[in-house]
Structures are given as structure tokens and as C-alpha cells.
Amino acid sequence: MSSRHNIFSRWNGLWVIRGHLSSRTYLMFALVGMLLPLAAWWGVSVSGWMDKVFMPGPVDVLSRTYVWFKEDDLMHDVWISTYRVIAGFSLSAVLAIPLGLMIGTYRPVQAMLEPLTDFIRYMPAVAFIPLVMLWVGIDESSKIAIIFIGTFFQMVLMVAEDVRRVPITQIEAAQTMGASRREIISLVIVPSAKPALLDTLRVTMGWAWTYLVVAELVAANSGLGYSILRAQRFMQTDKIFAGIILIGLIGLAIDQLFRWLHRKNFPWMYKK
Amino acid sequence: MDNKISIKAAHKTFGEGERSIVALQKVDLDIARNEFVTFVGASGCGKSTLLRCIGGLETLSSGSIDVDGMPISGPGVDRAMVFQHYSLYPWLTVMDNIKFTRQLQAGREDLTSADVEAASGRADALLDLMGLTHVRDAYPNQLSGGMQQRVAIARALLPRPQILLMDEPFGALDAQTREVMHDLILHVSKLEKTTIVFVTHDVEEAIYLGQRVVVMAPRPGRIDSICPVELPAKRDQDMKLSPEFMQQKKAILHRIRETAGMRTDYELLERMTRQAEQQNDMQ
């Protein structure tokens, strides 16, 4: 009786609003969240409820991935796609960070550039593809350009917002200590905004992968997105699955890398 | 006259046209060297604005503020400022926060290595004075609010400012921590011979710390009255219970209430109570 009561109260304790979970319980719930869809997928595929051509099972996808790796140069597709994402994303970051910093720091720059950026941001990046192909051609730079267009304008605005979130008292304290404008930017605004900036990069990295697939679906003859498109032509649904899951896994790995960098670079945020 | 700060006909307006607000109207005040002056007043009375003008963070619309007879132009290292909160740099340790000004001066060529060494010794001394030695390598968010304010004060004191401007620095602290901080800051003012201008909304704090309490009034922001504090120079917490202290506290609170234009409407409260009672009776 008392042990039943005990289990009940422990179960109830899990549902405290904004409550805490031990890391073991957290891991358990995470595993359930991952394995449940996988099991459902596997169940549907073996039940014969859907045609295998449309709904390959996990095993089919795994074996197709192996064949792709062995015979179709999977690693090249992974590499070329990753290269495009990183190139487009880096180009965007290199320009967006200083620009966003200026917009978030100086009002005239903000007035001049922010409405314009807001306007361009609402133009769908995908609609630029025909134009990009006419201007840049269909080689590597066109995919990089599409990823750039897709991420840059969002990134500028997010960086500007990160910079504006630096508490004004941190800046005023530096002013009263005799810091010059340049010192305030390099010693206060940048270090203060850095953690938020890294998060902005992490989020926009996800979008870069979305635009990669768009770019490769339209104008490419290699890469994960391109492989997905070609697999559709040959009715290789297992390869489509494999491509999508691979992109998800790479994205997850990069996301974790960013989170690791965050903990590594900003230890003060994690000490309590 | 040995005036450290001299405020003459200070006038400050925010906004333009009809929607403008007069934050300071014709404020005249002289503050002596090594004086401890506190400012109280209802919200909107311009006490923080005045402090920010002395600090150079705001500019006057007209009038002037002189320090040592020279009109100020913008912030300067001679006037350090302590804010209510969020002014520490969370990515720096306690020690690096305190040495922040040194990081600024390191870029200037006119500094000798002896200067740097002296500053380093001073940082250690301040750490000691503020009781922060055991947390020198901690980050600000690992500290309590009171400890964080100690760091902010130590950081402000490092370059030996002649004037310390404090904007409700203990406003977010609990009552006990506040008492400890009061005695600490009094000690600092005597030890460092700093002129301190202190803004607060706590009348008791204003009397306990100040040699003079300046009462300001809102709409437009102006000085209402200046009350010299008749307490022994060496303060102790029990003085807060003395008749003189109570008397002065009462007088200042009255001035603030009168000028605030806000007061408890006892008539309304009584009427509402009666109504509620009647409704209860009917049920």
C-alpha cells in the first residue's frame, strides 16, 4: 500500500511545472522519445500495412545507406554538402556579425540598414534561385549564394538584436570608468553579446542546411539534397529516407558542437 | 570656498514640444570636498537624472556642473559611478572586474610598469577592504547581491576617484545586508576621502549616511529642501532609534509625501469597507 503510494507520488512529482529531473530520469525520457517513433516506424514497415516501395523499414534504410557508402560514394555527397553549408554560412557570418554589431551599436547605422534588411528578409530566398542561376551560373558558387541569401539577412537582424540586449548599465559603467568608444565595443559589447551570438550562429546553421537542400534540389549534380531528388526519380524511397536522416544526424552533430563550444567558452554561464 | 562639485541653474528637459518633461528645474547646489550628500524624493523628482548629469551620462539642457571649478564634459575617471545592478561584467572574475579600469589604461603609453604594479597592489587592498579575498576568482553570478555590490564599489574605487556617484546601490539588497553595506561605505568615505553623492528612495538610509539630505520634488524635478543631519560623525546602527533620528525621518517623509502629489485616500478606503460590510450583511 505504502509503496504504491510512493510510486504514485514520485510519478506526480515529475509533473511539477518547470520542475527538475535527475539526469537518469531525463535520459530515460529522452530514450523513450527517440525509440518510440523508431519502433512505430519499424512496426508499420513489418506489418505490411503500407507498400515497401513507399514505406521502407529501418533495416532497408540501413542497408541502402551501406550500399550508398560502398558503391555510390556517400562520403563525397556528405562532404560536398557540408562544404557548401559551411562556405555559405561562414560567408554570411563574416559579413553579418560586424554589420549587426554596427546596427546594434550606432543608431544612424540602424536607421539606414535595418528597415532595408527587414524588407529583403521577407523576400523568399527560394525565389532568388532563378536570378542566382542567371547571375552566378550553376557551379558551386550558386549553391553557396543561395545559402548566403537564405541566412544572411536573418542573421544580421539577430546579431543586431543580440548586441542591443547588452545591458545599458554595463556600457555606462565602462563610460564612467573612462573607456573610449572602441574600448566599449571590444571590451564590453562584444564579450557581453558573445554567448548570444554563438546561439544565433547555432540557430542559423540549421537554416543553412534547409537552404542547402533547396539549392541542391534545383541546381546540382552531387550532394545529399541532390541524391534525395534523384532517388525519387528511381523510386528509391529507402535512399530518400537515408538522405533525410543523414542530414538530420549531421545537423544534430553540428548543433551539439555549438553547444559544446558554448560550455567551453563561457564557463561563467554554467557555474552557479 | 572648498567646493568639490558646484551645480549652477541646472535645467534638464526630456523630449520635445508639448510632450516634453522637465526633469530638473533650476537646481543650485554646492557639494564640499569629502562631503557625503544623499538625495531622496518621490519618483520622477529627477534625483537619478541629476546624478547621471554629474556623472556625465546625461547632458544638461542649460546651466552647468563644475568639478574643482572646471565645467564637466562627459564622463571622466575622476567621477566613478555605482549602479543599482547589472553593471558587473559576468564573463570576468571578481578580480578582473575590479581591475577593469587597468585594462583600459594598459592601452595608454604613458603608463609605467610601476603604475601597473601599484594598481595591482591597490586591487588587492580593495579586495581585502571589501571582504572579497575568498571570492577573488569567482564569477559575479556565483555571488549574492550584497557581494556583487561590494565588487562594483571596489571596481569604482580602483582608480582613486575623487567623487563617487551612487545610484540606489543598495536598493535590491535585503535589510541586514544593507546595514552592513552602510557601515562599509561610511568607512570607505572616511578612509578614501571620497566625495560621495548618493541617491536613494530610503529616507532612513539617506539620514544614516548623509551629512546633508537633499529632498527633491517632482513635476518639475527640483530641490525642495536641504536638511543637515545632526548626528555624531561616527554613526552606529542604534542611532536610528534615537528621537532626533526619528524626528528628522518624520519631517523628511512629510516633505516627500506633500510633494509627491500622491497620498492614501482614507475616505475612499472607508467608503469601500462600508460597502463591503453592507453587502455581507445582506447575504
Side-chain angles (χ1 to χ4, degrees):
Chain A
M1 182 65 196
S2 92
S3 86
R4 244 176 71 191
H5 174 78
N6 201 5
I7 288 170
F8 177 74
S9 73
R10 270 179 63 188
W11 173 254
N12 239 358
L14 295 176
W15 305 101
V16 172
I17 292 174
R18 298 225 178 150
H20 284 284
L21 276 192
S22 71
S23 50
R24 240 184 66 202
T25 325
Y26 186 93
L27 195 71
M28 206 180 75
F29 275 94
L31 278 176
V32 169
M34 302 281 264
L35 292 179
L36 220 56
L38 193 68
W41 176 26
W42 181 77
V44 169
S45 75
V46 293
S47 69
W49 183 45
M50 273 181 86
D51 195 333
K52 261 211 158 157
V53 177
F54 296 107
M55 191 67 180
V59 183
D60 307 306
V61 172
L62 259 180
S63 72
R64 169 61 73 176
T65 312
Y66 183 71
V67 173
W68 189 357
F69 178 71
K70 268 297 197 208
E71 293 163 17
D72 268 344
D73 209 356
L74 167 68
M75 287 327 280
H76 175 72
D77 287 325
V78 169
W79 154 246
I80 192 76
S81 289
T82 311
Y83 161 75
R84 286 167 185 156
V85 166
I86 290 182
F89 172 82
S90 307
L91 185 66
S92 159
V94 162
L95 294 172
I97 289 174
L99 207 58
L101 181 63
M102 289 299 114
I103 291 176
T105 307
Y106 295 115
R107 274 300 149 84
V109 185
Q110 178 187 355
M112 200 163 77
L113 295 179
E114 204 168 45
L116 177 71
T117 316
D118 251 328
F119 170 53
I120 300 177
R121 164 172 89 118
Y122 278 105
M123 304 179 182
V126 180
F128 280 93
I129 293 176
L131 202 57
V132 168
M133 284 164 71
L134 284 175
W135 284 352
V136 192
I138 53 164
D139 60 354
E140 282 316 302
S141 36
S142 67
K143 288 94 171 172
I144 294 170
I146 289 163
I147 293 170
F148 175 81
I149 293 171
T151 53
F152 173 74
F153 299 99
Q154 305 275 352
M155 212 193 255
V156 170
L157 295 174
M158 287 171 76
V159 169
E161 192 51 38
D162 292 339
V163 169
R164 271 196 292 265
R165 286 229 183 90
V166 173
I168 185 70
T169 33
Q170 287 183 2
I171 294 167
E172 287 180 342
Q175 282 172 337
T176 58
M177 286 187 277
S180 66
R181 240 176 262 174
R182 183 181 293 187
E183 281 172 327
I184 288 172
I185 291 175
S186 65
L187 297 176
V188 179
I189 294 179
V190 170
S192 186
K194 253 192 210 164
L197 287 179
L198 194 63
D199 268 332
T200 292
L201 292 182
R202 184 171 64 80
V203 171
T204 41
M205 181 55 121
W207 300 342
W209 276 97
T210 309
Y211 286 106
L212 165 90
V213 176
V214 171
E216 287 188 347
L217 287 180
V218 178
N221 49 26
S222 62
L224 292 171
Y226 166 75
S227 302
I228 291 172
L229 184 73
R230 215 181 47 158
Q232 182 228 336
R233 232 175 272 151
F234 296 107
M235 286 291 277
Q236 295 171 319
T237 34
D238 46 3
K239 193 166 180 179
I240 298 181
F241 269 72
I244 293 172
I245 292 172
L246 273 170
I247 291 176
L249 286 176
I250 298 170
L252 185 67
I254 294 179
D255 197 86
Q256 289 301 313
L257 180 75
F258 271 110
R259 284 176 196 274
W260 178 80
L261 278 175
H262 206 275
R263 283 193 301 273
K264 192 90 184 150
N265 283 292
F266 313 119
W268 51 272
M269 297 192 89
Y270 298 90
K271 285 187 183 173
K272 204 62 213 147
Chain B
M1 268 297 274
D2 194 22
N3 284 330
K4 187 69 194 169
I5 306 169
S6 188
I7 304 163
K8 291 190 205 96
H11 197 90
K12 173 76 182 172
T13 328
F14 285 114
E16 290 154 24
E18 280 177 27
R19 302 189 62 185
S20 68
I21 294 164
V22 181
L24 293 174
Q25 193 178 55
K26 207 186 159 305
V27 171
D28 285 289
L29 186 70
D30 288 328
I31 297 169
R33 196 174 303 279
N34 197 15
E35 192 180 356
F36 201 135
V37 184
T38 53
F39 285 77
V40 287
S43 54
C45 68
K47 54 191 193 290
S48 277
T49 305
L50 182 61
L51 192 80
R52 290 169 60 80
C53 286
I54 302 172
L57 292 173
E58 306 270 2
T59 46
L60 290 174
S61 306
S62 68
S64 69
I65 297 174
D66 293 356
V67 170
D68 290 326
M70 296 285 290
I72 58 161
S73 58
V77 274
D78 56 331
R79 284 156 286 136
M81 196 143 171
V82 177
F83 301 83
Q84 185 172 357
H85 44 197
Y86 304 130
S87 76
L88 291 178
Y89 301 129
W91 62 94
L92 297 177
T93 62
V94 166
M95 193 50 164
D96 288 338
N97 261 290
I98 294 175
K99 285 181 177 173
F100 186 78
T101 34
R102 221 189 67 182
Q103 201 183 343
L104 301 176
Q105 288 165 342
R108 293 169 198 162
E109 295 86 5
D110 55 339
L111 219 72
T112 65
S113 59
D115 291 337
V116 174
E117 210 157 294
S120 198
R122 174 148 173 86
D124 283 326
L126 283 170
L127 214 57
D128 210 25
L129 174 69
M130 292 290 159
L132 293 166
T133 314
H134 62 293
V135 292
R136 61 177 288 151
D137 296 319
Y139 290 105
N141 63 3
Q142 296 175 280
L143 305 181
S144 66
M147 289 296 242
Q148 291 189 15
Q149 284 310 72
R150 285 165 193 249
V151 180
I153 295 168
R155 180 179 68 177
L157 289 174
L158 186 86
R160 293 184 195 282
Q162 293 171 338
I163 298 168
L164 191 57
L165 306 169
M166 308 186 87
D167 194 1
E168 300 196 20
F170 310 139
L173 307 182
D174 63 83
Q176 285 74 39
T177 312
R178 218 190 274 197
E179 282 186 359
V180 176
M181 297 302 284
H182 288 161
D183 291 326
L184 184 64
I185 198 70
L186 283 173
H187 182 65
V188 164
S189 96
K190 214 171 333 145
L191 197 73
E192 298 269 323
K193 302 249 175 296
T194 324
T195 307
I196 300 182
V197 185
F198 190 106
V199 166
T200 177
H201 57 256
D202 180 349
V203 174
E204 198 172 281
E205 179 172 79
I207 300 170
Y208 188 70
L209 294 177
Q211 289 159 2
R212 281 190 296 165
V213 179
V214 179
V215 181
M216 292 186 73
R219 287 174 298 273
R222 63 195 187 275
I223 291 180
D224 176 78
S225 48
I226 298 174
C227 318
V229 179
E230 313 287 356
L231 290 173
K234 174 97 187 72
R235 306 281 156 96
D236 75 68
Q237 295 291 342
D238 285 341
M239 283 176 195
K240 287 180 187 168
L241 300 171
S242 70
E244 298 81 18
F245 194 99
M246 300 286 219
Q247 192 56 43
Q248 188 148 37
K249 183 173 168 185
K250 196 173 160 190
I252 292 174
L253 278 172
H254 268 282
R255 280 316 302 160
I256 294 175
R257 262 180 223 139
E258 207 144 295
T259 56
M262 271 191 290
R263 94 173 30 140
T264 319
D265 192 340
Y266 292 106
E267 221 169 278
L268 176 72
L269 290 180
E270 232 163 77
R271 211 163 55 230
M272 288 171 75
T273 317
R274 268 203 307 276
Q275 269 175 14
E277 279 168 0
Q278 274 168 14
Q279 271 173 9
N280 282 344
D281 288 346
M282 279 197 289
Q283 275 168 9

